[in-house]
Amino acid sequence: MIIENQDQMLQSVFAEARQDLDGEAITARVMAKTRRQLYLLAAGVLSLVAALLAGTWLVFGLPLLEFAVLISQFLTMTLVDLGEGWLALVFMPVNNIASLFIVTAKAIHMGWKKIIGVSFTA
Amino acid sequence: MHKAQDYYPDCPEAFLVSLARTGDRKAFAELVRRRQSPIRNLMRRCCNDYTLADDLTQQVFLKVWLGIRKLRKASAFSGWLKRVAVSVWLQHIRKKDALGDAGEMTGNELPQHDTTGMVLDLDRALVKLPNTVRLCVVLSYHEGMSHREIAKLIQMPLGTVKTHIRNGAQQLQQLLSAYGNPSEVESP
């Protein structure tokens, strides 16, 4: 290899100084460091996920819970006041806003299917 | 039954680089095994402290491991590795500068083992050169890089690099003059 005006003596000294060094020990040390790096990365990612989850719960957890309670209170409101006797107990599963929604949705679904069916037969 | 990894020592480097880019640690270990010797030699010439040279070599390969996914071409690995090595060395020098320990090495950090008299003499002579001059001389004579390549690598004007190499080589010639005249060389 001829590089710009290099001194021959220095070239040969540098060439002779180049040693073929055994690499097992240093390879093991490098790989141990890369493994440690991997563990650190995994620990960092886990910590970040945990922090994000905790933060999300702190910000949105309580409002969501309150909202769910409000919805469930609204859906279980009775449609007709039947007092507190056995009749109220019998009709309790259907005597609320939730069941009204379900019945309405079912009726719309059936009506829609009927309309579609009619259009096909026509 | 043989595992795929058993064949890594016989694989071409570009293939190993491609595997390492996908996170294959065994392939990367094979790359380290193959490339550690030139990098350690480079660091030894730069710092004349074999323990420090090994520490810096480990830093180089750790940086390579962290950045290898960004390497676009597997064939560019060799040049990239050299760039990382030089940048680790420059960072080390800057850190020493920042700590007020910028003085040139004293030569007390002598090699401990596996050294011939000539290697010792070369490393002792290199230590007497200023850091940047030494780096330019080592990259030119040890790594066989052209002046233009060195200027690009260490981001220094071409003229400055040429001057550093000329001055450094002159100093080394004086310090190692015995090796220019075989009759003056001490027999081992």
Side-chain angles (χ1 to χ4, degrees):
Chain A
M1 185 167 23
I2 295 169
I3 309 291
E4 299 123 318
N5 303 320
Q6 283 202 335
D7 179 79
Q8 293 296 314
M9 182 271 285
L10 287 181
Q11 256 188 341
S12 67
V13 171
F14 270 95
E16 282 184 49
R18 213 169 283 139
Q19 294 168 308
D20 192 17
L21 303 163
D22 178 57
E24 286 311 314
I26 200 164
T27 304
R29 284 204 294 274
V30 169
M31 295 318 290
K33 280 192 176 178
T34 59
R35 202 178 305 121
R36 206 174 307 142
Q37 199 80 25
L38 205 66
Y39 292 151
L40 277 174
L41 187 72
V45 168
L46 280 176
S47 310
L48 191 71
V49 168
L52 275 174
L53 283 175
T56 310
W57 175 250
L58 277 176
V59 175
F60 299 110
L62 284 177
L64 273 175
L65 200 64
E66 281 173 16
F67 181 70
V69 169
L70 276 176
I71 290 286
S72 68
Q73 280 174 351
F74 171 71
L75 290 175
T76 51
M77 275 169 65
T78 52
L79 293 171
V80 184
D81 189 12
L82 296 173
E84 290 185 358
W86 62 272
L87 201 62
L89 281 172
V90 169
F91 284 99
M92 196 171 66
V94 287
N95 186 22
N96 56 49
I97 293 177
S99 58
L100 182 69
F101 279 150
I102 290 168
V103 169
T104 312
K106 191 75 188 166
I108 291 169
H109 183 238
M110 283 169 69
W112 176 252
K113 274 177 83 176
K114 200 142 193 138
I115 293 164
I116 297 292
V118 168
S119 68
F120 272 120
T121 49
Chain B
M1 203 171 123
H2 288 286
K3 287 181 185 173
Q5 287 93 333
D6 294 339
Y7 298 100
Y8 283 177
D10 304 320
C11 284
E13 188 172 89
F15 181 64
L16 291 173
V17 172
S18 303
L19 288 173
R21 277 160 62 189
T22 65
D24 188 330
R25 297 182 74 250
K26 292 260 166 66
F28 183 69
E30 181 57 31
L31 281 175
V32 176
R33 208 167 283 123
R34 287 186 192 183
R35 289 298 189 149
Q36 51 82 29
S37 190
I39 300 296
R40 282 166 82 191
N41 272 310
L42 170 67
M43 290 302 182
R44 284 179 178 199
R45 295 297 88 77
C46 285
C47 70
N48 190 32
D49 179 342
Y50 286 12
T51 312
L52 175 62
D54 282 3
D55 283 349
L56 293 173
T57 304
Q58 287 177 51
Q59 280 182 41
V60 170
F61 283 109
L62 201 62
K63 277 199 166 191
V64 167
W65 170 248
L66 293 174
I68 200 162
R69 283 167 191 82
K70 291 175 202 157
L71 185 67
R72 287 185 188 169
K73 285 183 192 167
S75 56
F77 179 73
S78 184
W80 179 60
L81 177 63
K82 206 179 281 181
R83 280 200 299 280
V84 173
V86 170
S87 86
V88 165
W89 171 244
L90 288 172
Q91 272 176 17
H92 171 74
I93 294 173
R94 280 181 207 128
K95 215 180 284 174
K96 283 189 76 157
D97 282 349
L99 291 171
D101 192 16
E104 306 311 330
M105 289 172 189
T106 56
N108 293 331
E109 309 90 344
L110 294 175
Q112 299 88 349
H113 48 81
D114 294 342
T115 46
T116 62
M118 195 207 59
V119 180
L120 277 170
D121 288 342
L122 174 63
D123 288 339
R124 278 185 187 135
L126 280 168
V127 152
K128 294 195 170 96
L129 304 180
N131 282 327
T132 38
V133 176
R134 186 182 334 132
L135 182 62
C136 291
V137 170
V138 168
L139 289 176
S140 174
Y141 281 92
H142 188 268
E143 292 298 312
M145 291 173 75
S146 70
H147 295 173
R148 201 171 291 280
E149 285 172 328
I150 297 168
K152 198 177 163 193
L153 184 63
I154 61 175
Q155 292 170 351
M156 207 177 255
L158 182 60
T160 313
V161 168
K162 282 181 179 175
T163 309
H164 281 341
I165 292 172
R166 192 178 55 243
N167 294 343
Q170 276 171 2
Q171 281 188 58
L172 283 182
Q173 278 165 2
Q174 286 167 7
L175 292 163
L176 300 168
S177 55
Y179 291 97
N181 183 357
S183 62
E184 291 177 32
V185 180
E186 289 175 29
S187 55

